[in-house]
Amino acid sequence: MKGGAGGEKQGRGRGLPLRLESQRFRLLSIVVGCFVFSLVFLLSSRPDGIAFDTMSPKASLEDARRPATAVKTLRSSAGFGRDFHVDIVPQRGEGQGHLKQSVEQSNDKAATEWVRDTVIVEERHDVEREAETEEHEDHDDSNAAAAVTSISDDQPARGVEEKVQGNAVQTAAAAQPAVETPSARPGKPEEERKQVGGGEVKLQVQEQPARQEEPASSSGDHHQKQQQQPRPPLCDYSDFRSDICDFAGDIRMDANATSFVVVDPASGGAVQWHKVRPYPRKGDETCMSRVTEITVRTRGDSEAPPRCTRTHTSPAVVFSIGGYTGNIFHDFSDVLVPLFNTAHRYGGDVQLVMANVASWWLVKYDRLLRQLSRHEPLDLAKAGAAGEVHCFPRAVVSLRAHKELIVERERSLDGLATPDFTRFLRRALSLPRDAPTSLGDGSRNKPRLLIISRHRTRLLLNLDAVVRLAEEVGFEAVVSESDVGDDIARVGLQINSGDALVGVHGAGLTNMMFLPPGATLVQIVPWGGLQWMARADYGDPAEAMGLKYIQYEITVNESTLKDKYPRDHQIFTNPTAMHKNGFGFIRNTLMDGQDIVVDVARFREVLLQVLNNLTQ
């Protein structure tokens, strides 16, 4: 029994260690299983953990501590099979164009790793990337703010800003040159190779959702862009006859200072300052010295604009009645024809502003001025004396003048031409005839020939003989002795009654504008090579008006110069060569220094040609 009991006791002693080992094994298995389960759970929920980090452990540690920033999503084709996010930090204190990748120290002085000229690549799961994309779309403004946050809490990144615009991510650094990115460099492919941890990884930029920019971030940006845009010039100096200033906006005419100030604070740009004499005899110093100079300028930023005493809703057209006015040729060629070309477009709703006003001039041409403007003309000198400031929405300073007495259709802003002006004259002065007498229809009425009689220079000394000759060939001859002070409507009626006009070169031929279209102008040209002047002043304008034109050039025997100079003098042998002495010589010697005795027999052929024109 004892032996049996001892054996049984011995057997139980041997089984106890086995049971203990079995319990330990089961416990160990449970622990290992829990550990494995926990490890699998952790790894499945965080695939970018330390164990799977492709970079150094320090980088992964610092990545876990780094706040969220706007990043670029790059796709790897080097076998990783997932997308990567790249954080780019501008290099500090280095040469331009280089990048630094930094993870900075925390408060506990953890190690910091600087990575130069490379990128830190973080492996990210597709689900996490998609969640981040959605968050980026939902919180656009917060992500933009996060783009300028620091990598660590105690040392913020300086001037770094990353923002998404369109389908590209741009990097900007304040006070530093812009960092060049693969997608932004011109001529570079989207795919580039980067050295990562000693290996080469081919990175391809993946397009991010486009950010909706603010419609207008601030009015200051828009104003700054406007200031950078050059302001168009207020005045044009390219025309050979006159300088023209044409401008619109808030315009203040300070009459006392004879200046126009353009008040336009929104336009910005450099202040413009122009001085113009509003009369179309550019380059003629004698003439222009009689014309008031007007200043046209923009207001400075710190300048208070002149305060309006009267506000107009109509535009202003500004011109001078100085210069050579008082001579009917210059009245029309320098003022009335250019004024029609400039002001016609406003249909009468225009304010005429006049410098160097002469009251008699206003009285003489009152009917024409009232047809151009329904407003009372404004005398600049009187307004200045009263301290007035007139305000306009638009102003044209000086007149658009073409050739003498001509409006050129191709140069007119409104497609006007010279016949438009002569029609305007006939309408304004109520002139009845718009066609000459026609001899082809069997009419027994004699055509009327008007002969201009001059009073001081270039006199037609045998005027009576010319009148008798005209009556002999079949005209009713009438001598016109109009004077400067004559009413323009009365003169217009007289000239409009004629079928032909004859006169020596001079201002009186300007009256041809009142002739009905189709009538004939005969210009008697004095001796001295003046054909070019006669053609430019009256020949070309007559044809532009629709008139027939005949130029009668006298011979030496028809000029009184033959009684002043020997026949071998240069004035007879080569008069054109004497023009080099200047216009003063031409005027004094060749124009005002001779009178004319027409060769009646020779002139007869001219009058017969005029009759022939009336039969066509």
Side-chain angles (χ1 to χ4, degrees):
M1 291 292 296
K2 186 182 283 189
E8 185 180 356
K9 185 177 182 180
Q10 186 177 0
R12 286 198 300 268
R14 286 197 302 267
L16 182 59
L18 291 177
R19 286 195 299 271
L20 292 176
E21 283 184 359
S22 176
Q23 292 175 356
R24 292 173 180 173
F25 179 79
R26 285 195 299 268
L27 181 60
L28 180 61
S29 299
I30 292 172
V31 171
V32 171
C34 292
F35 176 79
V36 172
F37 178 81
S38 301
L39 183 60
V40 171
F41 176 81
L42 290 174
L43 292 179
S44 63
S45 62
R46 182 172 176 80
D48 55 345
I50 298 176
F52 285 83
D53 198 343
T54 58
M55 299 303 293
S56 66
K58 288 182 180 180
S60 297
L61 177 62
E62 296 300 325
D63 288 343
R65 300 173 51 246
R66 183 174 54 205
T69 60
V71 295
K72 286 186 177 179
T73 303
L74 306 176
R75 187 178 300 280
S76 170
S77 59
F80 290 94
R82 292 176 180 171
D83 295 339
F84 297 88
H85 289 256
V86 180
D87 291 330
I88 302 178
V89 181
Q91 184 173 343
R92 302 174 187 170
E94 295 289 330
Q96 297 181 0
H98 293 284
L99 300 176
K100 284 185 179 181
Q101 303 295 331
S102 69
V103 266
E104 302 188 5
Q105 296 181 0
S106 63
N107 293 333
D108 57 359
K109 307 300 181 181
T112 300
E113 178 182 2
W114 282 90
V115 183
R116 299 172 183 267
D117 301 320
T118 63
V119 294
I120 299 176
V121 180
E122 299 175 348
E123 184 180 357
R124 308 289 290 271
H125 193 270
D126 289 344
V127 175
E128 183 178 355
R129 178 171 54 83
E130 292 174 358
E132 182 183 82
T133 302
E134 293 176 357
E135 182 181 359
H136 176 72
E137 293 175 344
D138 294 339
H139 304 284
D140 208 16
D141 295 336
S142 62
N143 284 344
V148 296
T149 57
S150 64
I151 295 179
S152 66
D153 295 334
D154 58 341
Q155 189 176 358
R158 299 177 183 176
V160 180
E161 180 180 2
E162 291 197 10
K163 54 185 177 180
V164 180
Q165 185 175 4
N167 290 330
V169 181
Q170 297 180 342
T171 303
Q176 296 188 31
V179 178
E180 188 177 65
T181 61
S183 62
R185 287 197 292 265
K188 293 288 185 179
E190 290 187 354
E191 295 185 355
E192 294 196 3
R193 296 186 179 275
K194 297 290 184 179
Q195 299 293 330
V196 181
E200 186 178 71
V201 179
K202 188 176 182 181
L203 303 178
Q204 181 178 1
V205 176
Q206 181 186 15
E207 293 184 351
Q208 296 283 352
R211 166 175 291 187
Q212 294 291 332
E213 295 289 346
E214 295 290 336
S217 58
S218 66
S219 59
D221 294 340
H222 178 70
H223 178 60
Q224 186 177 6
K225 290 180 180 179
Q226 276 195 328
Q227 286 183 327
Q228 294 173 354
Q229 294 177 355
R231 186 203 306 266
L234 300 176
C235 300
D236 179 8
Y237 297 93
S238 63
D239 190 81
F240 74 97
R241 285 198 65 182
S242 61
D243 298 327
I244 304 291
C245 300
D246 189 344
F247 43 95
D250 182 359
I251 300 166
R252 316 284 177 95
M253 185 191 79
D254 186 351
N256 186 50
T258 62
S259 67
F260 284 79
V261 181
V262 182
V263 182
D264 191 6
S267 62
V271 174
Q272 295 188 42
W273 194 287
H274 307 271
K275 290 186 178 295
V276 176
R277 295 185 187 272
Y279 191 89
R281 286 287 164 186
K282 184 176 176 179
D284 188 333
E285 295 182 2
T286 301
C287 174
M288 300 302 276
S289 65
R290 305 169 185 170
V291 177
T292 297
E293 185 177 68
I294 293 178
T295 300
V296 177
R297 64 185 180 86
T298 55
R299 180 180 68 93
D301 293 337
S302 59
E303 175 190 1
R307 187 174 181 179
C308 301
T309 60
R310 182 180 174 187
T311 300
H312 303 260
T313 58
S314 306
V317 172
V318 187
F319 59 98
S320 170
I321 311 176
Y324 291 141
T325 55
N327 174 298
I328 189 174
F329 172 78
H330 291 284
D331 289 346
F332 278 90
S333 187
D334 297 354
V335 179
L336 294 172
V337 174
L339 178 60
F340 168 79
N341 183 38
T342 306
H344 178 270
R345 65 187 327 184
Y346 302 113
D349 188 19
V350 59
Q351 178 64 61
L352 303 182
V353 180
M354 304 178 184
N356 314 111
V357 172
S359 57
W360 67 265
W361 196 95
L362 296 179
V363 172
K364 180 174 183 177
Y365 296 109
D366 178 70
R367 293 183 67 173
L368 301 184
L369 296 176
R370 289 186 181 277
Q371 285 294 314
L372 290 172
S373 172
R374 67 177 67 104
H375 306 290
E376 193 70 23
L378 180 61
D379 185 335
L380 185 62
K382 288 184 178 179
E388 298 174 356
V389 175
H390 293 256
C391 298
F392 303 94
R394 186 182 188 92
V396 180
V397 178
S398 199
L399 303 175
R400 304 186 187 279
H402 299 161
K403 295 179 180 178
E404 306 287 14
L405 300 174
I406 291 177
V407 178
E408 295 179 301
R409 190 180 303 278
E410 61 275 14
R411 295 179 62 193
S412 173
L413 296 181
D414 305 301
L416 299 173
T418 310
D420 296 310
F421 177 73
T422 55
R423 280 193 293 270
F424 161 76
L425 279 182
R426 292 194 298 272
R427 183 177 66 253
L429 301 178
S430 301
L431 304 182
R433 301 176 75 221
D434 57 5
T437 300
S438 177
L439 300 181
D441 59 3
S443 174
R444 296 183 179 181
N445 294 330
K446 285 186 176 182
R448 176 173 285 192
L449 179 68
L450 303 173
I451 304 173
I452 300 294
S453 174
R454 295 180 60 86
H455 302 294
R456 294 187 299 274
T457 62
R458 277 161 279 153
L459 303 179
L460 188 58
L461 298 180
N462 60 340
L463 176 61
D464 293 341
V466 173
V467 171
R468 290 192 299 269
L469 174 64
E471 291 176 343
E472 288 176 7
V473 299
F475 285 100
E476 177 191 354
V478 177
V479 176
S480 175
E481 298 180 349
S482 61
D483 192 69
V484 173
D486 290 347
D487 178 70
I488 194 67
R490 187 192 66 81
V491 174
L493 279 171
Q494 182 187 37
I495 302 299
N496 184 253
S497 69
D499 301 298
L501 183 67
V502 174
V504 179
H505 173 80
L509 293 182
T510 308
N511 289 307
M512 66 181 172
M513 291 184 297
F514 306 120
L515 286 172
T520 301
L521 172 68
V522 178
Q523 178 176 200
I524 300 174
V525 182
W527 176 261
L530 303 179
Q531 295 89 341
W532 61 273
M533 185 185 301
R535 166 59 74 169
D537 288 351
Y538 302 105
D540 292 342
E543 293 177 344
M545 295 173 192
L547 303 176
K548 306 291 181 59
Y549 175 67
I550 299 174
Q551 186 160 297
Y552 180 81
E553 300 170 6
I554 70 171
T555 64
V556 173
N557 293 329
E558 295 174 281
S559 172
T560 58
L561 290 175
K562 68 179 186 299
D563 302 325
K564 298 181 180 181
Y565 299 93
R567 284 302 183 96
D568 60 350
H569 193 278
Q570 188 180 23
I571 201 169
F572 301 120
T573 60
N574 190 10
T576 305
M578 302 186 71
H579 292 184
K580 64 184 179 182
N581 295 322
F583 185 75
F585 170 83
I586 294 175
R587 171 178 290 279
N588 295 331
T589 305
L590 300 178
M591 297 178 66
D592 297 343
Q594 67 174 312
D595 295 321
I596 291 117
V597 178
V598 168
D599 184 340
V600 176
R602 182 168 173 252
F603 197 68
R604 175 184 292 270
E605 297 301 321
V606 173
L607 295 183
L608 291 176
Q609 185 178 347
V610 174
L611 284 176
N612 184 59
N613 289 341
L614 296 175
T615 62
Q616 298 176 359

